[in-house]
Amino acid sequence: MKIYFERSGGFVGRTVSTEVDTNQIPLELALSLLTKVEDASFFDLPEMPGLSLEGFSGADQMCYKVTVEVAGVQHTVETSDSNAPEQLQPLLRELSQLARANPQPGGPVVPGSSERRR
């Protein structure tokens, strides 16, 4: 499974992103991400769940774009803090942490390791 993640907006307007290939990261992290994708019923979510103009009214609103690819099938969901479905929020939190840990392209920094895995 491959995941492409981007978070933008917020008070500072900083954008962070990461790409994760679950075949290239520790098994525990890969299983955690896979579980969160499944728990969110990610492939059943609309591309822009609950998106409306009032969803972007706050200056500190975070916006998310998540693309998951499994066996050649790809699905993208774009949402914001106020419109993110409850079941998607654990995945957004974990991907946000990975993106903050490694704001450069190339995948997450593996916790407890100084080596970057790709």
Side-chain angles (χ1 to χ4, degrees), residues 43-66:
F43 284 89
D44 294 331
L45 291 172
E47 280 189 39
M48 299 179 129
L51 192 61
S52 62
L53 291 178
E54 61 269 9
F56 291 98
S57 62
D60 59 349
Q61 189 80 225
M62 290 292 204
C63 298
Y64 305 92
K65 181 176 182 181
V66 182

Side-chain angles (χ1 to χ4, degrees), residues 3-84:
I3 302 173
Y4 308 93
F5 173 77
E6 180 178 294
R7 186 189 75 189
S8 60
F11 184 70
V12 178
R14 182 173 169 227
T15 298
V16 294
S17 63
T18 193
E19 296 179 16
V20 180
D21 182 341
T22 56
N23 292 319
Q24 304 296 318
I25 60 176
L27 182 59
E28 304 81 33
L29 180 56
L31 289 175
S32 176
L33 289 168
L34 179 59
T35 299
K36 287 176 176 69
V37 168
E38 289 177 356
D39 289 349
S41 299
F42 187 83
F43 284 89
D44 294 331
L45 291 172
E47 280 189 39
M48 299 179 129
L51 192 61
S52 62
L53 291 178
E54 61 269 9
F56 291 98
S57 62
D60 59 349
Q61 189 80 225
M62 290 292 204
C63 298
Y64 305 92
K65 181 176 182 181
V66 182
T67 301
V68 176
E69 182 180 330
V70 177
V73 177
Q74 195 176 71
H75 182 64
T76 299
V77 173
E78 293 185 58
T79 191
S80 65
D81 279 335
S82 62
N83 291 324

